[in-house]
Structures are given as structure tokens and as C-alpha cells.
Amino acid sequence: MNPGHHPRRRVLGGALAAGTATLIGAPTPASAASADTARSGGGGKPTVVLVHGAFADASGFNATIGLLQQSGFPVIAPANPLRDTAGDAAYISSVLDTITGPVILAAHSYGGIVITNAARGHAGVKALVYLGAFAPDEGESALQLAQQFPGSELGTALIPRPYPLPGGPGTDGYIAPEKFRAVFAADLPAAETRLMAATQRPGSVEGLSGPSGAPAWKTIPSWYLIPTQDKVIPPVAQRFMAKRAGSKVTEIRSSHVVMISHPKAAAGVIKAAHTATR
């Protein structure tokens, strides 16, 4: 073979070029959502954006997403960076920028603080849905609200782990594996929660303690699903936040991960928000 010719390199180069072209020409999330709506025959149903919280990832919404998609809703469940309140909200806001048409913005846990801030300035967001989530007022943080009322077992379950930042070390919090099920997901099978504990995404102390900005729930109607057996955000705290926000409230006997243990209830509240705002 002539050493000056490299067929494999040409093949790989062509594949990379084709892949790059595909990415450049790929539909944006907005066009993908529109296509999903057209394929489902959803009659212009809003895109549901689901924002996860700390100690979890977007896969926690899988069962809820399946139910929503069966009903014709386009769904996006982006990865929440879980680094700091302002930055996380800015990232989710950038996702909203790419969506054409109305949006139902829903969140679990710390994700509630994120959507409370990310929704500001987005006229397309028609409803906020809090699924066992924080709905802070300006200046409040997740840790502050969790500690303001009795019942949270999160603080004593956390393991701190430092990580490097340009301005000095940050701190991530993980739920101790031996406490994960009791605190986070007591109504799920132990085998499942062992996997969840091993794969949990940590919440940074900077994010959990970061102050919220002006809340979008003051101008956008909201719905609240309160898990009454929540050991992360005390139910009394959620009732306080829901009442203050004027949310339409549903309560259910559930652990903190209400969207996993009761996906029909989570999807039902989202659908109710759509029905009331369409």
C-alpha cells in the first residue's frame, strides 16, 4: 500500500465531516418540539419543560414523561447544572429561549427555585408546577426554607465533598448512601434506591444556599403537588409556599420523589395546569 494514502483516515474524516454537518443542520429544540406536536396530533399542546433538583437527574421524570407523551405533550427534561441558583436559572432560561409556543414549566425539589427565577421574562410560560419543590420568595434559599419548618432530615444526612473553583474551593453535598432511602425515597424499593444513591448528582452548597430573585409565581399561575411524607422539604413548608404563591394544591401520600412513586399524580397536575391556562 502506498504510505502516502490512508483510506481509513479518509473514511474517518468523511464520517466526522458528515457528523458535523448533521449537527449543524439538526433541528433546534424548538423545531423538535414543534415536530413532536405535529406528529402527536396534540392540537398545539404546550411544551412541558421538567427541571430536576439535587441528588437526582432528569431520568427521575421518565414515567411522568411517558404519560405526558402518550397524551400528546412535547416534553423536554434538560440537565440542571446544580451549581448555583443564578447560573442554573440562566441555563434553564436559555432552554426556554429555544422553544416556540406555550410552555408548562414544572420542577422537583431544588428545581423549584430554578424555575421560579428562569420563568421571568418568558411570556410563553403559561403555568408553573411545583412537584414537591421549593417556591421561594425573593432573597430566600432552599436551605433556609428547609430549616425554617420542622421535619426535614436532609441536613444530618449530607456528606460534604470539596471541589475546585477558580475563586477557591466549592462544596458539594451528597446524601449518605445508608440514609438515602429513608430521607429521599422511602416508598421506592430498596434495590432501586441503592442505585439512585450511587448515581446521585450532588447539590452544591452555593446553589442550595443561594438567594432567589423576584419570583415568577407572582405573575404566572402555579400548581403544587405536595408529598405528605416528604423528609427533605417538610410538607408544612410546602403548604406555606403554596399558599403564599396562590397555587392550586393537591396533596398525596408520598416520599419526596413524588414524580417517581406517583407519576400519574404528577402528570395529572401538569395536565390540570394546561387545562386551566389554554
Side-chain angles (χ1 to χ4, degrees):
M1 179 182 294
N2 187 335
H5 297 281
H6 300 280
R8 179 175 294 181
R9 288 184 185 176
R10 287 200 298 272
V11 170
L12 288 175
L16 287 172
T20 302
T22 299
L23 285 173
I24 293 173
T28 64
S31 61
S34 298
D36 284 346
T37 301
R39 284 195 297 269
S40 68
K45 285 186 176 177
T47 300
V48 177
V49 178
L50 299 167
V51 181
H52 68 84
F55 321 116
D57 61 27
S59 68
F61 289 115
N62 281 355
T64 303
I65 291 170
L67 293 169
L68 292 169
Q69 289 178 335
Q70 288 172 19
S71 296
F73 289 90
V75 182
I76 299 174
N80 184 353
L82 302 178
R83 295 296 84 193
D84 66 90
T85 302
D88 296 345
Y91 177 78
I92 298 302
S93 178
S94 74
V95 173
L96 297 176
D97 286 338
T98 69
I99 299 172
T100 301
V103 170
I104 303 293
L105 186 55
H108 174 244
S109 196
Y110 165 76
I113 286 188
V114 176
I115 69 168
T116 295
N117 290 270
R120 286 196 311 269
H122 289 279
V125 177
K126 302 304 180 183
L128 302 172
V129 180
Y130 295 92
L131 306 169
F134 290 104
D137 203 345
E138 188 167 6
E140 294 176 339
S141 71
L143 289 179
Q144 174 190 343
L145 286 165
Q147 296 167 358
Q148 187 174 333
F149 300 88
S152 177
E153 298 179 9
L154 179 62
T156 57
L158 289 178
I159 297 174
R161 290 194 170 103
Y163 66 93
L165 284 174
T171 303
D172 269 339
Y174 292 78
I175 299 179
E178 67 275 12
K179 297 181 179 180
F180 189 94
R181 183 170 186 265
V183 172
F184 199 69
D187 52 359
L188 297 184
E192 184 175 355
T193 58
R194 283 195 294 271
L195 292 174
M196 291 170 65
T199 60
Q200 64 180 293
R201 289 188 57 204
S204 73
V205 171
E206 291 74 18
L208 295 173
S209 61
S212 180
W217 48 254
K218 287 191 174 181
T219 57
I220 300 172
S222 60
W223 279 254
Y224 220 118
L225 181 59
I226 299 176
T228 60
Q229 305 301 303
D230 198 328
K231 299 296 179 62
V232 175
I233 309 174
V236 64
Q238 296 184 52
R239 294 183 187 112
F240 165 78
M241 290 184 283
K243 182 178 180 180
R244 181 175 63 182
S247 304
K248 289 77 174 175
V249 175
T250 300
E251 297 198 3
I252 189 168
R253 185 178 178 84
S254 173
S255 72
H256 183 57
V257 290
V258 65
M259 73 290 189
I260 301 178
S261 53
H262 297 280
K264 288 183 179 179
V269 172
I270 292 169
K271 292 176 185 178
H274 164 56
T275 299
T277 57
R278 63 185 175 184

